Amino acid sequence: MTAPLAGLRWGLGPGWLLRLKRCRRSAPWDLGIRSSASGKELLGLFSLNNDILLQSCRNYQAVLCTELTKPLIIRNLPSPSLQPHEVRVGVRYCGVNFADILACKGLYQKKHCLPFTPGMEFSGMVMETGANVSTVQEMLWPIPEGVSYEEAAALPVSYGTAILALDHRARTQPGETVLVTAAAGATGLAAIDVAANVLKAKVIAAAGSNYKCNLALQKGAVHSVNYTQGSLKEGVKKLTDNRGVNVVLDAVGGDIFKEALHSLAWEGRIVVVGFAGGAIPSVPANLLLLKNVSALGVFWGRYREEDFPVFSSSLSSALWYCQERRIQPHVGAVFKLEEVNEAFSRVTQRKSTGKVVISMQ
């Protein structure tokens, strides 16, 4: 291998290796498994970093970013034998995230050496463990009974972010009103699901088309605002009798963030989770002062380094809520490995709703 690969390896083949340069209970590969008749099922979750390499037991196909801003390519790669601190994983599904696209453009918070394989989350099966791996429960989260591989691959980033933003950061209370921007995206629909069905809040969904607004209403929002047809701030004022909302989860940035900030009620909280609109806004501090509001941020992946118990808890909670059917991830499109560039285009062009996943089936 000419260069270390980072993050999730999207590939076909009999199995992949999880190479652990360090093996400790609090590491970001601390995941867990459950046994089944056909093997051991797992949910994989990884940040884009150079501590983890995924490879297959024989030659396998992997998606590679060899040049920033250029189409991804698929190559056959060789793989070494299983080493003592490795776990071989057969991947079933991979989630596609906007952060993956940013990484391939060189715009993500963390820069990666070329070539690299983008990706943060997968579901699959433990095929084999190295001699020094005493239990895969130190490295893998279990997929509970009743949760499919497809659902499992759609949960980590979107629902982990939504749970951290709404529960851990904003401390959303039952009966409060939550405004979700980019409401039909993967994180937006996850936030609606968590806010309405777990935290028992009232949700106002904000999106860029009537179709997306209607989808958000079907998923649990009580009201919607199409911000391409008028002012988001004015729409929220009408829906709340001028009171405003208690919590905002914003993934858009730009002018939408500013209107959402103006839509907060007394002691409201706005949580920034991304900038899908491309523009990073400034926060006018006088607005924070006048209404005693709070501006917060959530970079979910950073929690694995700074506070792993909180990071792990967000994913464990998502899996448990899904098993209890309190939440249900919305998979908007499934692509094959060879269609990875089409999958990225679907997200980039904002044609996707909910989660886009890659199937290895």
Side-chain angles (χ1 to χ4, degrees), residues 20-294:
L20 308 181
K21 291 187 176 180
R22 297 187 300 273
C23 187
R24 63 188 186 202
R25 184 170 296 275
S26 61
W29 46 82
D30 219 12
L31 303 173
I33 61 98
R34 71 172 169 81
S35 297
S36 67
S38 58
K40 295 178 177 180
E41 298 179 13
L42 62 100
L43 176 63
L45 175 64
F46 301 97
S47 299
L48 293 165
N49 61 62
N50 291 325
D51 286 334
I52 301 171
L53 303 178
L54 287 166
Q55 301 151 355
S56 70
C57 57
R58 293 191 285 273
N59 287 351
Y60 67 99
Q61 289 183 305
V63 172
L64 291 176
C65 176
T66 58
E67 187 176 354
L68 298 178
T69 74
K70 300 297 183 180
L72 301 171
I73 63 173
I74 299 176
R75 284 183 179 169
N76 290 314
L77 298 177
S79 62
S81 58
L82 188 69
Q83 299 301 306
H85 290 95
E86 293 176 340
V87 174
R88 196 183 310 278
V89 177
V91 177
R92 297 291 185 91
Y93 288 91
C94 309
V96 177
N97 293 283
F98 191 67
D100 304 328
I101 297 169
L102 291 178
C104 293
K105 293 181 178 180
L107 300 176
Y108 193 57
Q109 290 96 324
K110 293 185 178 180
K111 309 301 179 184
H112 314 293
C113 297
L114 296 172
F116 68 90
T117 299
M120 293 184 176
E121 55 197 346
F122 70 82
S123 62
M125 181 179 294
V126 173
M127 308 298 291
E128 187 180 359
T129 61
N132 291 347
V133 179
S134 59
T135 170
V136 284
Q137 288 182 344
E138 292 183 355
M139 294 172 287
L140 304 166
W141 279 279
I143 299 176
E145 295 287 348
V147 178
S148 69
Y149 284 113
E150 186 177 293
E151 288 177 319
L155 282 172
V157 176
S158 298
Y159 277 85
T161 298
I163 290 169
L164 270 180
L166 295 171
D167 191 15
H168 180 71
R169 295 290 277 153
R171 305 293 183 185
T172 306
Q173 300 300 307
E176 287 192 316
T177 302
V178 176
L179 172 65
V180 178
T181 67
T187 301
L189 288 181
I192 291 170
D193 207 2
V194 170
N197 300 314
V198 176
L199 302 176
K200 304 304 179 183
K202 301 174 184 177
V203 180
I204 298 175
S209 73
N210 290 335
Y211 169 76
K212 291 181 177 180
C213 286
N214 289 333
L215 176 61
L217 291 171
Q218 294 172 23
K219 294 299 180 179
V222 294
H223 299 293
S224 67
V225 177
N226 182 343
Y227 41 59
T228 65
Q229 296 181 350
S231 166
L232 174 60
K233 180 178 71 173
E234 294 303 318
V236 171
K237 285 176 65 176
K238 291 178 181 178
L239 292 172
T240 61
D241 295 327
N242 293 321
R243 291 189 302 272
V245 297
N246 305 106
V247 176
V248 174
L249 187 144
D250 178 54
V252 180
D255 292 337
I256 295 300
F257 167 86
K258 294 177 183 177
E259 290 200 53
L261 182 61
H262 280 280
S263 301
L264 284 174
W266 172 261
E267 290 194 335
R269 294 87 74 197
I270 187 167
V271 188
V272 177
V273 299
F275 310 103
I280 299 176
S282 298
V283 179
N286 62 310
L287 292 182
L288 305 182
L289 183 149
L290 291 173
K291 288 186 179 179
N292 284 267
V293 301
S294 301

